[in-house]
Amino acid sequence: MSVRKKGALTAGAALMVFTGLIAASFADMQAVANSTRNEKNSTLVAQAQQKTLTVIFPTRKDAPDLQSKADKVAEFLSKELKMPVQAKVGDDTAAVEALRANSADVAFLSSRPALKAEELAGARLYLAEVRPNYSGKYTYNSIIVVPKDSSLKTLNSSKATLEQLRGKKMAFTSPTSGSGFIFPVGEMVKQKLVENRDRLDGFFSQVVYGGDYSKALKAVVQGQADAAAVSEYAFGSPYISDAEKNQLRVLYKIPGVPAHGVAIDDDVPAAMRERIINALLKLNEPQNNELLRGLYNSTELVKVDHNKHLGPIREALKNAGIDP
């Protein structure tokens, strides 16, 4: 073998060794990069898992000591979802604002605030509450109550029954109440007794607002009003005593008022939303049901279609001439 040829072979061998070193170094660099990427992904996953889910529980008349009860539900959800869950208590307006500002992910809401949450935050109602004193399982009646000895009677037609209220003193719950204002006014417009909510003074001799169910009902008991509009579930304790209830009777019922429910913000990914819904549905199970009952006296949560469930309140608002 010539020295020249041998030199060429040696140079080729050296090139192969050099190439091997580069490949090995690149492999090492790739391994380090992959390790770094995996660590970063693991960190991101861990951070996502540690995100705190915030649930808003609105204050209600029949929900005493709500914060401590809400905290217990949050603790239950935290175990089910394997992530931190925080319970906050506030009114419906604060709940809607929290969803809009992305400072809350889930909120228990009544029907009209649920519409507002959809408008402002893109949130939708996925579950509705069931109560034993709801006539429609997850819908209930708006009722018009009069004194037991009132001359007003429940007649054969809706229009004829409501026509008897002309010239009477009427106590509504509040201008924002679904069953205590929006539904009865919407019904009166539907029956062509009034044009809209701004024409009530032309039908009633006086319109007063109790501020809550108890005060509206007591206005009738105390003779300050001839009739009051409230929810059917308010026709008894803790809103009024048995003695007060015995002095009253129901003149008229408007069915289909949507029950309160659970809204979830549109920022919550679909997979996470399903996990939240399934965790909440576990509150229906016997071993967990006291947690649910403790909140708002609900016995069950059921899945509902957002648009179908809230359809009646949309119609009532439209009839009454009220913006959602």
Side-chain angles (χ1 to χ4, degrees):
M1 181 180 295
S2 68
V3 174
R4 183 178 177 182
K5 189 172 184 180
K6 182 177 180 181
L9 288 172
T10 303
L15 179 62
M16 290 178 63
V17 171
F18 182 68
T19 303
L21 288 172
I22 292 176
S25 297
F26 180 77
D28 289 343
M29 291 170 64
Q30 188 68 28
V32 170
N34 288 338
S35 176
T36 302
R37 190 180 300 112
N38 290 337
E39 288 178 6
K40 184 176 181 180
N41 289 340
S42 297
T43 301
L44 290 173
V45 169
Q47 288 175 345
Q49 290 175 341
Q50 287 303 308
K51 179 187 182 300
T52 298
L53 184 80
T54 301
V55 184
I56 307 292
F57 297 84
T59 51
R60 297 180 192 164
K61 175 74 174 181
D62 55 350
D65 193 25
L66 183 58
Q67 184 66 64
S68 64
K69 294 171 182 177
D71 287 340
K72 291 178 182 178
V73 172
E75 183 180 357
F76 169 81
L77 293 175
S78 179
K79 291 178 181 178
E80 290 295 322
L81 298 171
K82 295 179 173 55
M83 65 184 296
V85 178
Q86 178 184 29
K88 290 185 177 181
V89 170
D91 60 18
D92 282 316
T93 301
V96 172
E97 176 57 27
L99 290 171
R100 187 198 65 78
N102 291 325
S103 58
D105 309 286
V106 181
F108 283 71
L109 294 174
S110 54
S111 57
R112 190 180 179 192
L115 289 178
K116 186 59 71 173
E118 177 188 17
E119 176 190 345
L120 298 180
R124 296 177 69 83
L125 210 65
Y126 291 93
L127 298 170
E129 299 175 31
V130 175
R131 291 192 193 182
N133 54 358
Y134 283 173
S135 57
K137 189 175 179 179
Y138 51 87
T139 65
Y140 56 92
N141 293 332
S142 165
I143 59 174
I144 295 177
V145 176
V146 297
K148 196 169 188 178
D149 60 359
S150 172
S151 61
L152 306 185
K153 305 296 181 184
T154 302
L155 303 176
N156 292 332
S157 74
S158 296
K159 187 170 185 176
T161 300
L162 294 172
E163 174 64 43
Q164 299 173 96
L165 294 171
R166 187 181 295 276
K168 303 298 183 182
K169 295 178 181 179
M170 185 70 191
F172 290 107
T173 300
S174 76
T176 60
S177 173
S179 56
F181 183 75
I182 296 167
F183 272 85
V185 172
E187 180 72 2
M188 294 183 72
V189 173
K190 181 180 177 181
Q191 299 300 331
K192 302 187 184 309
L193 295 172
V194 297
E195 186 178 345
N196 56 47
R197 62 164 179 177
D198 297 323
R199 298 292 185 266
L200 298 179
D201 289 342
F203 182 84
F204 300 107
S205 63
Q206 183 180 1
V207 173
V208 297
Y209 297 97
D212 58 39
Y213 295 136
S214 298
K215 292 175 182 176
L217 288 166
K218 288 179 180 181
V220 179
V221 172
Q222 296 165 5
Q224 298 168 350
D226 299 307
V230 298
S231 297
E232 65 179 347
Y233 63 80
F235 194 40
S237 178
Y239 299 91
I240 54 174
S241 66
D242 290 340
E244 290 170 326
K245 180 178 179 179
N246 288 336
Q247 299 177 54
L248 304 171
R249 62 180 169 83
V250 177
L251 175 71
Y252 190 75
K253 298 178 182 178
I254 306 165
V257 181
H260 302 175
V262 181
I264 301 177
D265 193 24
D266 64 341
D267 285 345
V268 177
M272 186 61 193
R273 182 177 67 234
E274 286 304 307
R275 289 181 61 205
I276 293 169
I277 291 171
N278 290 332
L280 286 165
L281 288 173
K282 287 190 177 182
L283 291 170
N284 296 340
E285 297 175 0
Q287 65 271 28
N288 307 321
N289 199 237
E290 282 304 312
L291 293 173
L292 178 63
R293 289 173 181 265
L295 289 175
Y296 304 115
N297 300 316
S298 304
T299 57
E300 186 182 0
L301 291 173
V302 294
K303 288 185 178 181
V304 293
D305 177 86
H306 175 86
N307 291 327
K308 185 177 180 179
H309 185 65
L310 298 179
I313 184 67
R314 290 186 195 275
E315 182 181 0
L317 285 163
K318 182 180 178 180
N319 287 341
I322 302 172
D323 293 332

